[in-house]
Amino acid sequence: MTTVHERVDTFHDNDQKPVGYGRMLRKEDPRFLRGRGRYVDDVQLPGMLHLAILRSPVAHARIVSIDTSAAEASPGVKAVVTGAMLAQQNLAWMPTLSNDVQAVLATDKVRFQGQEVAFVVAEDRYAARDALELIDVEYDVLDPVIDARRALESDAPLIRDDLDGKTNNHCFDWETGDEAATEAVFARADVVVSQDLVYPRVHPAPMETCGAVADYDAVDGKLRLWSTTQAPHAHRTLYAIVAGLPEHKIQVISPDIGGGFGNKVPIYPGYVCAIVASIVTGKPVKWMEDRSENLISTGFARDYIMRGEIAATRDGRILGIRTNVLADHGAFNGTAAPVKYPAGFFGVFTGSYDIEAAYCKMTAVYTNKAPGGVAYACSFRITEAVYLVERIVDCLADELGMDPAELRLKNFIQPEQFPYTTKTGWVYDSGNYEPTMRLAMEMAGYDELRREQAEKRARDELMGIGIAFFTEAVGAGPRKDMDILGLGMADGCELRVHPTGKAVVRLSVQSQGQGHETTFAQIVAEEIGIPPSDIEVLHGDTDNTPFGLGTYGSRSTPVSGAAAALVARKVRDKARIIASGMLEVSVADLEWEKGAFHVAGDPGRSVTIQDIALRAHGAGDLPEGIEGGLEAQICYNPSNLTYPHGAYICVVDIDPGTAQVTVRRFIAVDDCGTRINPMIIEGQVHGGLTDGVGMALMEMIAFDEDGNCLGASLMDYLIPTSLEVPDWETGFTVTPSPHHPIGAKGVGESATVGSPPAIVNAVVDALKPFGVRHADMPLTPSRVWDAMRGQARPPI
Amino acid sequence: MQVTMTVNDVEVTREIEARLLLVHFLRDVLGLTGTHWGCDTSNCGTCVVWLDGEPVKSCTVLAAMAGGHQVRTVEGLAKGAELDPIQQGFMQCHGLQCGFCTPGMMMTARALLDRNPDPSETEIREAISGQICRCTGYATIVRSVRWAAVAEAQAAAQVTETTESSEAGEIDNAGQPAEAVA
């Protein structure tokens, strides 16, 4: 029951796709199934020492003194290092991905609970932990800023007194859209709806925490660093800047990674500490944080306090959308976002609708909370943007008394309007929204669900149906528009075909479970006709792969996938020339089909890609001007982002006695353009939907008024288990990207982006009999209970 | 202190600190890194192994407590080159992505099938509810376990057919794991 549109065909007219995309079991699975994955904590080197970090117990305090003498005397301890010692080497501070600075180890003050204060290096992890207990730190506790709304008050304590001339907690302002034009459409609109929304702080909490093994060889000056990073090449460059090591002497290895979700994009102080420790001790040093450290100190997500306003005609034509955002960036601005987009891609908050005007004003502030703001499959703040627009569209539907599906259908950007420039300046590459929405409604049995709901309401049962329709911007990004710390967001790819026709492809992106070893083998196979099983995919090692910015923001397939397709075409172009020599015909007389070139009109005269590979490496003559070998490398600079879309429908039941929300059904129809491996796509969607259930119903990193993190373990920070989620119902449409070489758009974050508003909309819909128009996440039983009694309140 | 236990059918004796956790004993002392360490609080289940055939979270078992007992880890799931049906099921149904929770999930699932060869979806969800997967959304894990259940039922049916046409004695010794349960 799917609507499949024609795929863009970028091949030569006479070129046939040789292998075909489709469901293929993963090449990487066998090692994981046997317990032979290679994660950072699995790395054991001879003589390796272990590092543990002492963290601040308070959110804001001046460090008066640190006494490490007892720790140094503890059995097995090799070194104890403080911020003061790092400062002597000019290593106490490091740049963040947002051009701010962050303390590696605190020197003057601690600015959030869990901040790194000192580290111990010892013979084993237990000895290192023991010694932490013996470090005596005297703190002069200061008032913290915990509520972002208070951060800019004149009497708020100053957090970033390390920054020259800083007199308040202001981080940045940012605006987009046309304020005056938006004001004009709001002034003439029949209906204006305004809603305050909080997207609480949540945490990606990948199953593998963050860590590193640093191995510095003083003789040859080479640093090898195994680390949990989603962006090994970008990290290498930053280490060169931070540590002053020459970049060619740094090898960053990102082996198997136990989930990332953005949490493993930033450089954390622990990585730098491990490097320093290896240099100081002359030994390999391992640092693995524990779960509590992961939750209290590493890259969080969200923490946006938003006001959304929507203007429309009485008959449901949306005219304008306006938003004001207060963003909590924690103690240091550690967001990973392109330089020109300090609020990430929040600018797509106009959603999938053809409107007349839009305006966004944002203020970001520092607070005494952990830094970050990058993470949790957020596509650079698109999660917040989609939540905002899809929630206020539902509020508008409620105000107008319209069905929320009908309101959306009435306002969609139409297929013929693509490429569509939004009122905030983004150019949506392609989209065909109505078929996607209709398919989701058909799969859900939307009308029947509404009838069921009416019957249940008559019996005082609480059932809700929630819709979200999202458009994402992924695949960052065009060199002219985007860079991170001056590094263009391009990706390289290298393909070598060996003499026997087997191939190795080297990627600049890296997998944290997305199945790159399979998907990229399929992409290359499709282009060059070598079976995926004969293509080795290498990634995650900066010494053995071309430069690129890494895996986050759903950018692997849109950027690196394009690079892989294009490098394969480059190799095929050379193969075509060699084939013309072998068959003694002109290049123009050759046709390509299923991994072989044959003479047009004479299929019997053909050479396979394997034949050509052997010739390319052999002793025989090659056409004039053609070098031996069959390999190529490229760097792909995307001309635009890609814009996947999707329609999600959630059905919830709420127990009126306990206020417990149960997600009964979830229908997800995704359009990620050309689909390479449907099995892997489905897996990506399922995972994101589960993230959505977590954020909508369970997860929140809360703080008390003193800045104590209340979500510091998996007993306090609740993540969905198998019992909180339904069996997902997925479907798809295909609207290829016109500018991507194979039409693929990326799907890694779609479901995380699209599912929270669908779930919240469903819960609010269920609570309509109580007069509820909005309730903030997380919709825990106690918060739903309050909403049922007219006491809904923001979570912060 | 000295501890002796049987891990994946092999008896091992090591000198350890009394406070050493079983998960660290397996990983750091024996080098069996298939068992993972994810939370320290028995919430995530990436560290699940069998102690005398029962799934336990090895981050909350002292290595000393495993002394004299049988431990089985993910490395002891396959029979040589042949993957256990649970492992095959996870591959066939895409029951894993990053692979970090997978060993613990498979150990629990194998134990479930050993006591209930035909579990319902609800029974599977309940069995793995003490373990967290951040990637898959659980549906494919449920499918993976069902795949294994069906595969084993089909294999058993074939064995039964074979048995009917051969001597029972040949079958009794066939394919039974040699593990002893204390």
Side-chain angles (χ1 to χ4, degrees), chain B residues 60-101:
Chain B
T60 32
V61 174
L62 293 169
M65 293 162 68
H69 294 277
Q70 301 274 340
V71 174
R72 185 165 294 277
T73 70
V74 66
E75 288 90 348
L77 205 48
K79 292 167 187 66
E82 186 189 350
L83 292 177
D84 187 273
I86 277 287
Q87 292 168 307
Q88 295 174 37
F90 270 70
M91 180 146 182
Q92 292 293 330
C93 300
H94 194 30
L96 69 154
Q97 290 180 33
C98 81
F100 203 77
C101 77

Side-chain angles (χ1 to χ4, degrees), chain A residues 23 26 33 39 130 720 722, chain B residues 19 92 97-98 125 138:
Chain A
R23 188 178 197 276
R26 297 204 317 171
L33 293 170
Y39 302 93
D130 286 346
S722 50
Chain B
R19 60 177 173 168
Q92 292 293 330
Q97 290 180 33
C98 81
R125 284 183 182 271
Y138 303 105

Side-chain angles (χ1 to χ4, degrees), chain B residues 7 13 17 27 31 60 73-74 115 123-124 129-130 133-134 147 149 156 172:
Chain B
V7 179
T13 299
E17 264 193 88
R27 291 179 50 79
T60 32
T73 70
V74 66
R115 65 171 192 275
E123 287 170 328
I124 295 168
S129 65
C133 172
R134 217 47 173 147
W147 189 97
D172 282 349

Side-chain angles (χ1 to χ4, degrees), chain A residues 23 25-30 32-37 39 41-42 44 50 124-127 129-130 203-209 256-259 261 286 288-292 376 512-515 679-680 682-684 686-688 690-691 699 713-715 717 719-723 725-728, chain B residues 17 19-21 24 27-29 31-41 43-46 74-75 77-83 86-88 90-103 106 121-122 124-140 142-143:
Chain A
R23 188 178 197 276
L25 299 186
R26 297 204 317 171
K27 289 158 61 85
E28 47 269 86
D29 281 356
F32 293 126
L33 293 170
R34 289 179 177 273
R36 292 178 62 181
Y39 302 93
D41 197 23
D42 301 341
Q44 297 267 26
H50 293 261
D124 65 62
R125 34 180 130 215
Y126 289 41
R129 292 272 169 154
D130 286 346
H203 198 281
M207 297 318 298
E208 177 203 39
T209 58
D256 288 326
I257 299 296
F261 318 109
K286 177 185 282 185
M288 280 306 298
E289 67 186 8
D290 64 24
R291 177 57 59 190
S292 181
Y376 208 171
Q512 312 109 46
Q514 295 91 338
M679 178 187 83
I680 287 177
E682 183 192 41
Q684 294 284 295
H686 283 192
T690 307
D691 289 348
E699 297 178 23
S713 79
L714 294 180
M715 290 184 285
Y717 186 69
I719 290 172
T721 73
S722 50
L723 296 178
V725 295
D727 194 4
W728 312 107
Chain B
E17 264 193 88
R19 60 177 173 168
L20 185 68
L21 297 173
H24 289 143
R27 291 179 50 79
D28 297 345
V29 179
L32 294 172
T33 54
T35 302
H36 297 140
W37 173 57
C39 77
D40 279 333
T41 51
N43 290 96
C44 82
T46 63
V74 66
E75 288 90 348
L77 205 48
K79 292 167 187 66
E82 186 189 350
L83 292 177
I86 277 287
Q87 292 168 307
Q88 295 174 37
F90 270 70
M91 180 146 182
Q92 292 293 330
C93 300
H94 194 30
L96 69 154
Q97 290 180 33
C98 81
F100 203 77
C101 77
T102 311
M106 293 194 303
E121 178 184 335
T122 303
I124 295 168
R125 284 183 182 271
E126 284 174 354
I128 61 170
S129 65
Q131 285 160 261
I132 297 171
C133 172
R134 217 47 173 147
C135 297
T136 65
Y138 303 105
T140 56
V142 173
R143 289 179 208 163

